[in-house]
Amino acid sequence: MNLVWLLSICVLYIGAFPEGASTSRPDVVNVGAIFTFNTINGKVARVAMKAAEDDINSNPNILAGTNFSILMHDSNFSGFLGIIGALKYMGTDTVAIIGPQNAVMAHVLSHLANELHVPLLSFTALDPTLSPLQYPYFVQTAPNDKFQMTAIADMISYFQWGEVVAVYSDDEQSRNGVTALGDKLAERRCRIAYKAALPPDPTATRSDVKDQLVKIQMMEARVIVLHTFSRTGLLVFEEARNLGMMERGYVWIATTWLSTILDSVSPLSSKTANTIQGVLTLRPHTPDSRRKSVFMSQWDKLSNGSIGFNPYGLYAYDTVWMLAHAVDLLLDQQGTISFSNNSYLSRVGGGTLNLSSLSIFDGGKQLLNNILQTNMTGLTGPIQFSPDRSPFRPSYDILNVIEDGYKQIGYWSNYSGLSVVTPETLYTRPPNRSSSSQNLYSVVWPGGTTEKPRGWVIPNNGRKLRIGVPNRVSYQDFVSGSRVNGTDTVQGYCIDVFLAAIKLLPYAVPYRFILFGDGHKNPSYSELVNMITTDVFDAVIGDIAIVTNRTKIVDFTQPYIESGLVVVAPVRKSNSSPWAFLQPFTPNMWAVTAAFFLIIGTVVWILEHRINDEFRGPPRKQLVTILCPFPPNSGTDSLLSLVTCLSCSWEGFLVLIEQLSTVTEFFLIPYPIVSTLDFFKISGENTVSTLGRVVIIIWLCVVLIINSSYTASLTSILTVQQLSSPITGIDTLVTSNERIGFQVGSFAENYLTEQLNIPKSRLLALGSPEEYAIALKNRTVVAVVDEQPYIELFLSDHCQFKIRGPEFTKSGWGFAFPRDSPLAIDLSTAILTLSENGELQRIHKKWLSRKACGSQATSNESDELQLQSFWGLFLISGAACFIALLLYFCSMIRQFSRHVPEESHPSTGASSRSTHLRTFISFVDEKEEVYKSKSKRKREHALSDSHVKEDETRNSSKRSQMGSSQQRHDSEIWIN
């Protein structure tokens, strides 16, 4: 029985573990490394990887006795040797490869890694186009160049430069890095003006570098970004110094290759140190820690003084540890490492290539997942990967090379941009990328200056700035030109503004004027501006209107004169009308004013009817009272009665004014008002109720204001010259069918046809002010549409025409430059300075001062006073009437309910309500004195009734007492 059980267990054991499988861990795990060990980063990587290998193999807590072996292969700047090394590793059961060092080999080897499932880990091949979607087995363990280029773009934006020149080695990593820089600059409204490609490092020669730098020297941009490798980079700086391109005015920004030299090559030779002074560079930022400090302190011992330390040594060390942890986790998960042959390679793998030796790593996919799920703290700080496989929170130190080395001027992090605070401190705060939060310390620029360079200059290429000027035939006060012996001479208002602005620039601008036009008619300004985009002109100055279509293709300076389209038409003097006295008010104003006279009269009548005899009597008299609420004494003249009536005075208010007349000046009561009130008192008018007086006070203020406004407007109508024209503005011009004139070459033609949809058949091109006048006089055109400055000059000599209506477009004149031209910005600043110091006005007065007559625009709007100007007054008066009526009726209802008794036999339903309403109306209509007398009689009658009842009660009481006494007397007699 025991034998049977033993045999069964053996069978199960054999079935569970197939032949060839082993549960024991391998003795050695092989990892390859492909670098060019003759470079700075190659040397640093060799030392750091060797130190990591020793630390891993001496640590019993990882790999549990399995030896971690790094096999190093020197590619020696050769892509071919790099491929050979990779093939060698993949044919000898290597689980992963650290490297390659550059992106050229990374693109090739990643295809092998994809097929054989061997992860590639690189901290130096940082091409941003090595996408995990295309190369899933390639992992970048340091921030790729996309983040470095973002940092440089933020620096350029921070210093407010618009254009840069990129100098780079023409290989995948540098070329793709510059492409990423262009994308990041575009996001910040900047751009790369020129890309200077050099042969791949280290094949670039001094001649290659010099040829490119000479081209750059002739360009406008002075901000240069250098993205290459150490050998080529130093060669570029040497040639730049020889060409004078390391002097004041230039800006050089080098990528991380320069910081590796500063850190690892110490001390620099005096020649190299002098060459790179003032340059800005980036260095991968790693947070301070005790482990990092210990490692750096041991570096000289580890490297035997062969190479200085730089941050890529930390990334090399952490990459090895990251891989060791992933392998350890893989062994815990699977227990073994195995490889299998590729069937396809086995079929074609004959011959000397021995392709059949290339085997697929069975645990490659799991190892890759373990790497991507890494979450540990290394010498470089926290190590983990985001979903797009970029390292956790990339950041850089920003260094400035100075005489005795370099200084750190700040940090850049993908979390909060530029700052002078360490990224670790910023991580404890909310992210903030606002412009106010971006800060750097002061910089020492090339040439030893601390003043920020402008970033551009006028190109020193021996060619003057080509400035196009319209060769105008008319309105030559603005621009005029002549050509003598092949030389163009120009003058005018626009030219003087340009020359004055150029003088304010802090640098010299060589230029020459070139006339555009045949001299027989005004040129097309749109065509002139378009010539900037075709590189015929470098700028265009003159009376150039800033309109939408032009701003899409060029940049304009700040406007130096306001402009806009206006309508000019012939006008005639208006004849006086017999009904001129009605013109100050619009019909609505007349109607509302009349209505309020009736309303005020009605309200005052209601308020005074019960208490004032002047508001009682026959209906005919009461109607007259409503129309004239305060009738004067019988002896008053009828005209005076009407004036007095409309003035709505009252005796009580006059008494108050008289009491205050001694302090008139203190209360600032105008003398005419006091005099008017005295006159109204003489008329004998009187208002009794307090509410009526309040309503009249407010209405008197309204009447006085309206009266003053009416008087002023009527005076203006009768004394000021009135002009009229059938054209009152652009609206009536559009709706008419008459022809319209415009200036040859002006944008007015396009505006009228495209924006206002006026047929071209209605438009007539006119070439001069004289043609304007003839066409308007002969009625060839009903009006001319042109820009305000031209029309002002035209009207100064032709007073029989006037501007009709306001400007219907708003724009200005400016100088045109190519898109993103920094000269446009500087000239805008100069124009603002001219405006502030009065020079612009002086130039305007010199060329465009008024001559014979003014050009004031005649308004197309009526001089009538509009209702909306007074609706507030009417609202106040109406509100006063409503409140007075409300208080009055509340008082009446209260008195009615208190003093009118309920009927002894009330009716039911609607009859009762109707009876109460009639009773209430009769009560309100009844004079208050009658009501008071009735109330008094009722009280006296009630009092007399109460006295009679008291007498009867008293007599009854006496009779009762006498009866009682007699009964007691009779009783006493009977007893006795």
Side-chain angles (χ1 to χ4, degrees):
M1 188 65 180
N2 292 333
L3 181 60
V4 173
W5 276 107
L6 181 60
L7 291 173
S8 300
I9 292 173
C10 291
V11 171
L12 291 173
Y13 183 86
I14 294 172
F17 296 95
E19 182 179 0
S22 174
T23 59
S24 60
R25 290 192 172 210
D27 294 332
V28 178
V29 173
N30 292 322
V31 174
I34 302 175
F35 285 87
T36 298
F37 292 116
N38 195 32
T39 61
I40 293 176
N41 285 340
K43 294 177 181 178
V44 170
R46 180 196 287 271
V47 174
M49 288 189 294
K50 180 61 177 173
E53 178 185 15
D54 294 340
D55 291 344
I56 291 170
N57 290 329
S58 62
N59 191 334
N61 296 322
I62 188 169
L63 291 177
T66 299
N67 188 53
F68 190 85
S69 176
I70 301 178
L71 307 175
M72 299 190 186
H73 175 78
D74 189 355
S75 61
N76 195 26
F77 297 102
S78 171
F80 175 74
L81 293 180
I83 295 173
I84 294 300
L87 292 174
K88 179 182 70 174
Y89 290 145
M90 293 179 182
T92 56
D93 296 344
T94 300
V95 298
I97 296 176
I98 301 175
Q101 185 170 344
N102 60 63
V104 177
M105 286 192 293
H107 281 275
V108 176
L109 299 184
S110 292
H111 291 286
L112 294 175
N114 290 347
E115 292 295 329
L116 301 179
H117 298 179
V118 177
L120 295 178
L121 289 79
S122 179
F123 49 87
T124 54
L126 303 177
D127 181 358
T129 65
L130 286 166
S131 167
L133 298 177
Q134 184 179 8
Y135 307 113
Y137 280 86
F138 182 81
V139 180
Q140 293 172 327
T141 59
N144 67 40
D145 285 346
K146 177 185 71 174
F147 300 104
Q148 181 176 201
M149 296 307 168
T150 304
I152 293 175
D154 280 346
M155 292 167 60
I156 292 170
S157 177
Y158 172 79
F159 289 113
Q160 298 179 346
W161 296 316
E163 292 184 347
V164 302
V165 172
V167 180
Y168 62 97
S169 295
D170 196 12
D171 56 45
E172 279 85 348
Q173 180 159 334
S174 299
R175 184 169 54 248
N176 294 332
V178 169
T179 300
L181 175 62
D183 295 339
K184 296 301 178 181
L185 287 174
E187 294 174 3
R188 293 154 179 80
R189 299 184 62 83
C190 305
R191 70 186 186 97
I192 297 177
Y194 178 70
K195 296 179 181 180
L198 301 174
D201 186 80
T203 62
T205 64
R206 191 175 296 273
S207 176
D208 297 329
V209 172
K210 184 176 182 179
D211 291 343
Q212 288 293 346
L213 292 182
V214 169
K215 292 180 182 179
I216 295 172
Q217 197 174 26
M218 298 297 176
M219 294 178 183
E220 186 177 87
R222 284 295 182 262
V223 181
I224 305 171
V225 177
L226 183 56
H227 185 42
T228 181
F229 300 95
S230 56
R231 184 183 180 280
T232 302
L234 291 178
L235 184 60
V236 169
F237 281 128
E238 289 177 9
E239 284 302 310
R241 182 177 178 83
N242 293 337
L243 294 173
M245 297 176 67
M246 299 301 298
E247 301 299 326
R248 183 170 183 168
Y250 282 89
V251 177
W252 288 86
I253 302 176
T255 50
T256 53
W257 65 266
L258 181 57
S259 66
T260 62
I261 295 177
L262 296 175
D263 289 331
S264 298
V265 181
S266 182
L268 292 174
S269 65
S270 59
K271 179 181 178 180
T272 301
N274 293 332
T275 299
I276 61 176
Q277 284 187 25
V279 178
L280 299 179
T281 186
L282 300 176
R283 176 175 64 191
H285 174 75
T286 55
D288 294 331
S289 64
R290 189 185 63 82
R291 290 183 58 200
K292 174 183 173 181
S293 300
V294 172
F295 183 78
M296 293 175 61
S297 65
Q298 296 175 349
W299 182 260
D300 288 340
K301 179 180 179 182
L302 294 173
S303 64
N304 293 322
S306 60
I307 189 68
F309 171 81
N310 71 55
Y312 287 103
L314 301 177
Y315 282 105
Y317 186 90
D318 283 350
T319 299
V320 174
W321 270 93
M322 182 193 312
L323 184 56
H325 279 290
V327 172
D328 187 41
L329 181 58
L330 176 67
L331 293 176
D332 290 340
Q333 294 166 338
Q334 297 186 358
T336 185
I337 293 177
S338 62
F339 295 83
S340 59
N341 293 329
N342 188 309
S343 58
Y344 178 76
L345 291 178
S346 299
R347 289 195 302 271
V348 300
T352 57
L353 291 177
N354 194 24
L355 296 179
S356 59
S357 64
L358 298 177
S359 56
I360 299 174
F361 177 28
D362 297 331
K365 186 174 182 179
Q366 186 60 47
L367 179 62
L368 176 64
N369 291 334
N370 293 345
I371 293 172
L372 297 178
Q373 294 173 7
T374 298
N375 189 356
M376 56 180 279
T377 300
L379 300 184
T380 58
I383 302 174
Q384 54 183 297
F385 295 94
S386 62
D388 64 350
R389 294 194 183 183
S390 60
F392 180 67
R393 288 179 174 173
S395 56
Y396 292 89
D397 300 332
I398 302 176
L399 310 180
N400 179 206
V401 182
I402 55 179
E403 290 185 4
D404 53 351
Y406 64 85
K407 66 174 183 177
Q408 186 166 337
I409 62 171
Y411 305 88
W412 178 89
S413 69
N414 198 41
Y415 186 76
S416 291
L418 301 173
S419 71
V420 294
V421 181
T422 61
E424 292 74 37
T425 303
L426 295 177
Y427 295 151
T428 62
R429 309 171 185 172
N432 186 1
R433 298 299 292 264
S434 64
S435 58
S436 60
S437 66
Q438 307 297 294
N439 293 292
L440 292 175
Y441 291 122
S442 62
V443 180
V444 178
W445 304 101
T449 179
T450 57
E451 181 182 355
K452 186 196 79 171
R454 189 169 62 249
W456 68 278
V457 295
I458 300 298
N460 185 22
N461 52 14
R463 181 173 64 86
K464 295 182 179 180
L465 207 64
R466 300 164 299 174
I467 300 179
V469 179
N471 190 9
R472 293 195 59 90
V473 178
S474 60
Y475 296 113
Q476 294 190 346
D477 290 330
F478 295 106
V479 177
S480 65
S482 60
R483 185 175 286 113
V484 180
N485 297 327
T487 302
D488 292 333
T489 303
V490 295
Q491 63 177 0
Y493 168 74
C494 302
I495 304 301
D496 280 6
V497 172
F498 174 77
L499 295 176
I502 282 290
K503 291 179 182 178
L504 295 179
L505 298 182
Y507 48 87
V509 180
Y511 60 88
R512 63 188 180 96
F513 295 121
I514 303 174
L515 289 173
F516 174 75
D518 57 12
H520 300 294
K521 63 178 182 179
N522 293 334
S524 169
Y525 279 55
S526 296
E527 183 180 348
L528 175 60
V529 172
N530 283 332
M531 287 188 171
I532 294 178
T533 63
T534 58
D535 199 34
V536 175
F537 295 125
D538 300 312
V540 169
I541 70 169
D543 46 344
I544 313 297
I546 304 173
V547 295
T548 304
N549 291 338
R550 296 171 185 172
T551 58
K552 294 178 180 179
I553 58 176
V554 298
D555 281 351
F556 282 93
T557 61
Q558 172 81 14
Y560 57 87
I561 187 174
E562 291 185 358
S563 176
L565 293 178
V566 294
V567 177
V568 62
V571 294
R572 59 183 176 83
K573 295 182 179 179
S574 297
N575 296 324
S576 179
S577 170
W579 303 98
F581 70 91
L582 295 177
Q583 294 181 9
F585 287 166
T586 61
N588 287 341
M589 183 65 183
W590 280 115
V592 172
T593 303
F596 260 82
F597 270 104
L598 294 176
I599 293 171
I600 296 299
T602 303
V603 171
V604 173
W605 179 85
I606 293 173
L607 298 176
E608 298 288 328
H609 179 66
R610 298 187 73 245
I611 59 178
N612 195 335
D613 290 335
E614 294 179 356
F615 290 84
R616 303 188 64 81
R620 185 175 183 180
K621 177 183 178 183
Q622 295 188 46
L623 180 60
V624 174
T625 303
I626 291 175
L627 297 176
C628 183
F630 292 98
N633 294 336
S634 59
T636 309
D637 180 76
S638 59
L639 179 60
L640 180 59
S641 301
L642 177 62
V643 174
T644 306
C645 169
L646 296 177
S647 302
C648 302
S649 180
W650 64 96
E651 185 174 346
F653 182 62
L654 295 175
V655 173
L656 176 61
I657 292 298
E658 279 189 345
Q659 293 173 354
L660 297 177
S661 60
T662 56
V663 288
T664 297
E665 294 182 359
F666 177 80
F667 286 99
L668 300 179
I669 299 176
Y671 175 77
I673 293 179
V674 178
S675 301
T676 302
L677 295 175
D678 289 338
F679 169 76
F680 291 156
K681 180 183 176 184
I682 295 174
S683 67
E685 297 176 355
N686 184 31
T687 304
V688 177
S689 69
T690 302
L691 292 177
R693 292 182 177 184
V694 171
V695 171
I696 295 301
I697 290 174
I698 297 175
W699 179 238
L700 176 62
C701 295
V702 174
V703 169
L704 289 176
I705 294 174
I706 293 176
N707 178 64
S708 300
S709 302
Y710 174 87
T711 303
S713 179
L714 182 60
T715 302
S716 174
I717 290 173
L718 297 178
T719 58
V720 178
Q721 174 181 295
Q722 298 297 306
L723 304 175
S724 66
S725 170
I727 302 300
T728 58
I730 187 62
D731 294 332
T732 57
L733 191 61
V734 171
T735 55
S736 70
N737 294 320
E738 302 290 340
R739 301 198 70 183
I740 304 170
F742 68 92
Q743 184 183 173
V744 174
S746 171
F747 77 96
E749 179 183 12
N750 289 337
Y751 184 86
L752 293 174
T753 56
E754 296 176 4
Q755 302 297 326
L756 302 182
N757 298 319
I758 297 177
K760 286 190 175 182
S761 59
R762 289 183 55 195
L763 303 182
L764 178 63
L766 303 173
S768 67
E770 292 73 20
E771 292 185 19
Y772 284 15
I774 295 172
L776 290 171
K777 289 178 181 178
N778 296 337
R779 300 288 297 173
T780 307
V781 296
V782 69
V784 172
V785 174
D786 206 350
E787 296 177 69
Q788 178 86 27
Y790 301 129
I791 296 302
E792 288 179 349
L793 278 184
F794 171 72
L795 295 180
S796 66
D797 296 324
H798 301 83
C799 302
Q800 66 272 35
F801 308 109
K802 295 294 179 183
I803 296 174
R804 303 298 292 166
E807 285 183 335
F808 56 93
T809 64
K810 291 292 184 181
S811 61
W813 290 353
F815 305 137
F817 291 87
R819 295 299 298 270
D820 301 319
S821 172
L823 189 58
I825 299 174
D826 287 354
L827 273 179
S828 294
T829 304
I831 290 172
L832 289 175
T833 303
L834 292 176
S835 177
E836 292 170 358
N837 62 21
E839 181 66 15
L840 202 59
Q841 183 62 28
R842 187 194 65 78
I843 298 173
H844 186 279
K845 185 177 180 180
K846 171 185 175 183
W847 290 97
L848 308 177
S849 59
R850 304 276 185 222
K851 298 178 182 177
C853 60
S855 64
Q856 292 83 0
T858 61
S859 175
N860 66 312
E861 296 182 359
S862 174
D863 292 327
E864 296 175 332
L865 298 175
Q866 304 291 326
L867 177 61
Q868 56 264 31
S869 301
F870 299 94
W871 74 266
L873 295 174
F874 288 117
L875 177 63
I876 294 171
S877 183
C881 293
F882 175 77
I883 294 173
L885 287 175
L886 181 63
L887 294 175
Y888 175 76
F889 281 112
C890 289
S891 175
M892 289 298 99
I893 292 172
R894 180 171 173 270
Q895 293 179 23
F896 177 75
S897 61
R898 177 183 298 177
H899 298 288
V900 178
E902 296 289 338
E903 293 188 18
S904 58
H905 302 287
S907 313
T908 59
S911 173
S912 175
R913 289 193 295 271
S914 177
T915 302
H916 277 288
L917 180 59
R918 288 195 299 272
T919 305
F920 177 72
I921 293 175
S922 298
F923 173 76
V924 173
D925 184 60
E926 190 176 44
K927 188 175 181 182
E928 187 174 21
E929 293 177 357
V930 175
Y931 151 73
K932 290 181 178 180
S933 64
K934 287 183 179 180
S935 298
K936 183 177 181 181
R937 287 197 300 270
K938 287 181 181 180
R939 288 195 298 271
E940 290 176 352
H941 184 268
L943 182 61
S944 63
D945 289 344
S946 63
H947 289 326
V948 171
K949 289 181 181 180
E950 288 178 359
D951 291 340
E952 290 177 353
T953 303
R954 190 180 301 110
N955 293 335
S956 176
S957 177
K958 287 180 178 181
R959 286 194 296 270
S960 297
Q961 292 176 357
M962 290 176 64
S964 299
S965 300
Q966 184 64 36
Q967 287 178 359
R968 286 195 299 270
H969 178 70
D970 293 342
S971 296
E972 289 175 356
I973 294 174
W974 182 77
I975 292 172
N976 293 329

